[in-house]
Amino acid sequence: MAYQKGEGKSVVIALGGNALGNTPQEQLELVKNTAEHIVDMVAEGINVVVSHGNGPQVGMINNAFDYASTHDGKTPAMPFPECGAMSQGYIGYQLSQAILNEMKRRGIMRSTACVVTQTVVYPEDPAFQNPTKPVGAFLTEEEAMKRAEETGYTYKEDAGRGWRQVVASPKPQRIVEFDAIKDLMDDGYIVISTGGGGVPVVEKDDSYHGVPAVIDKDRSSAKLAADFRADMLVILTAVEKVCINFNTPEQKELDSMTVAEAEKYIEEGQFAPGSMLPKVEACIEFVQQHPEGRALITSLECAADGLKGKTGTVITA
Ligand SMILES: Nc1ncnc2c1ncn2[C@@H]1O[C@H](COP(=O)(O)OP(=O)(O)O)[C@@H](O)[C@H]1O
Ligand SMILES: NC(=O)OP(=O)(O)O
């Protein structure tokens, strides 16, 4: 099956934590299943851009370098933005390989392209004054204070379980490699990009500079999808549908929401901050910027059916 330039719908998929797991070994196994679902969409003639989270991965890489650099005296300290880029690299490598293998198995003559992506954030974003995103392992207070002094990073106590590094989660303003991502997609590549929301960079003196932060990947995916006016933003997570009264006897699955309905539910506190809320907000941002587009929240397993309108929660303008 060969790709003809310009044909097919365009879809940005944001992969949640359950598509990747927590360790490289677990991830290598899980991405095989993830790839099957992505290739199901490719087989339907859809042009797919894949983005993914990186919270556990960037924390793991950062910790490994911190540990090595303070223990062996030979390994250099690794700046946080470089850790983010490494997480994009190894997740992208595993996803790319799994998608290629699956396409080969099905006789689909398409290729993949991984784009290490930077995302511009504003230095004055209030998120920098209130780091909220925990990354990496738990420490004692003493260890955390020592590391804070050495690195300048922020550590916070996490619900009585110990101290963890927290980083800011600023809003994505611009995807630096946007043109390359679009061109690659238009040329028929299955593009893996904007991993972990993109490495956050600020613009200063006409140059980009990495900053120690982790952008919400659903927000960056919404920005990417809106910028190239994708037909659909698909946020894949662990649940088939968004619910109201989630985890209560009155729980009700939603097939669809307009922006006005979603905003009413947000006001009622129906979506948990740090999990479902940013996903719904990302969908709202996408359809507000691109009202002809539709956003879908569903599970990986239901993705293909969701794209056919058979399941999931659809958010429209
Ligand atoms: N109102 C809701 N409807 C459905 N799921 C919800 C709701 N509120 C919170 N959740 C939880 O949010 C989770 C998705 O958030 P999270 O696990 O942070 O995402 P990710 O898949 O990106 O890692 C769901 O698996 C579910 O447990
Ligand atoms: N960058 C990001 O949103 O990662 P997680 O989805 O893993 O938290």
Side-chain angles (χ1 to χ4, degrees):
M1 190 204 299
Y3 170 75
Q4 297 295 317
K5 192 166 179 157
E7 71 179 13
K9 288 193 170 187
S10 55
V11 170
V12 174
I13 301 171
L15 295 174
N18 63 322
L20 300 175
N22 289 304
T23 67
Q25 295 73 19
E26 194 178 295
Q27 187 173 292
L28 192 59
E29 281 310 304
L30 281 176
V31 292
K32 291 178 189 162
N33 176 49
T34 304
E36 280 184 30
H37 294 289
I38 291 170
V39 175
D40 282 347
M41 297 178 214
V42 175
E44 296 273 344
I46 293 165
N47 299 314
V48 181
V49 177
V50 183
S51 83
H52 56 80
N54 75 338
Q57 294 85 354
V58 70
M60 177 187 70
I61 293 167
N62 189 44
N63 277 332
F65 275 99
D66 267 2
Y67 183 85
S69 65
T70 50
H71 283 75
D72 70 7
K74 290 176 190 155
T75 307
M78 188 60 64
F80 197 83
E82 277 70 3
C83 295
M86 286 182 187
S87 74
Q88 288 186 352
Y90 101 84
I91 297 169
Y93 153 70
Q94 289 191 340
L95 276 171
S96 171
Q97 189 178 71
I99 294 168
L100 285 170
N101 286 344
E102 184 60 26
M103 289 198 297
K104 227 171 163 184
R105 201 179 64 77
R106 299 195 204 183
I108 298 174
M109 309 293 286
R110 300 274 292 267
S111 194
T112 56
C114 294
V115 180
V116 174
T117 312
Q118 304 166 76
T119 301
V120 173
V121 298
Y122 290 151
E124 62 273 16
D125 190 310
F128 284 109
Q129 306 311 317
N130 181 29
T132 51
K133 180 119 183 137
V135 292
F138 290 95
L139 305 173
T140 64
E141 182 173 359
E142 198 187 348
E143 287 167 337
M145 292 300 122
K146 188 164 173 279
R147 290 223 192 149
E149 208 179 301
E150 287 164 0
T151 59
Y153 296 159
T154 306
Y155 289 80
K156 283 188 183 168
E157 207 276 331
D158 188 348
R161 294 178 297 175
W163 288 66
R164 282 181 94 186
Q165 185 186 347
V166 284
V167 295
S169 196
K171 280 194 180 169
Q173 303 297 336
R174 184 166 63 83
I175 314 280
V176 175
E177 288 80 5
F178 173 75
D179 290 342
I181 295 166
K182 181 163 183 348
D183 285 355
L184 285 165
M185 193 200 73
D186 286 345
D187 280 344
Y189 290 90
I190 289 87
V191 187
I192 299 155
S193 79
T194 328
V199 179
V201 295
V202 295
E203 286 180 291
K204 201 173 127 204
D205 304 330
D206 219 19
S207 309
Y208 299 117
H209 303 268
V211 286
V214 173
I215 305 175
D216 183 274
K217 53 114 182 14
D218 297 314
R219 268 189 205 285
S220 292
S221 304
K223 176 95 191 91
L224 182 67
D227 286 352
F228 70 75
R229 305 181 70 74
D231 294 290
M232 214 166 191
L233 168 69
V234 179
I235 294 182
L236 298 179
T237 186
V239 290
E240 184 173 343
K241 294 185 187 194
V242 180
C243 301
I244 51 171
N245 306 316
F246 181 63
N247 263 348
T248 72
E250 288 78 41
Q251 173 171 311
K252 181 174 171 256
E253 293 183 329
L254 300 170
D255 296 327
S256 64
M257 284 187 272
T258 60
V259 167
E261 286 164 342
E263 283 174 342
K264 181 176 86 62
Y265 292 138
I266 288 172
E267 242 174 64
E268 291 171 8
Q270 294 284 359
F271 312 127
S275 59
M276 192 47 78
L277 179 62
K279 295 182 192 308
V280 175
E281 286 175 341
C283 292
I284 291 175
E285 277 166 31
F286 170 63
V287 296
Q288 279 181 333
Q289 285 173 47
H290 176 41
E292 299 81 40
R294 287 184 310 147
L296 170 73
I297 300 176
T298 192
S299 65
L300 185 62
E301 288 67 30
C302 294
D305 276 350
L307 282 171
K308 291 179 192 145
K310 292 184 185 169
T311 188
T313 304
V314 176
I315 295 98
T316 53

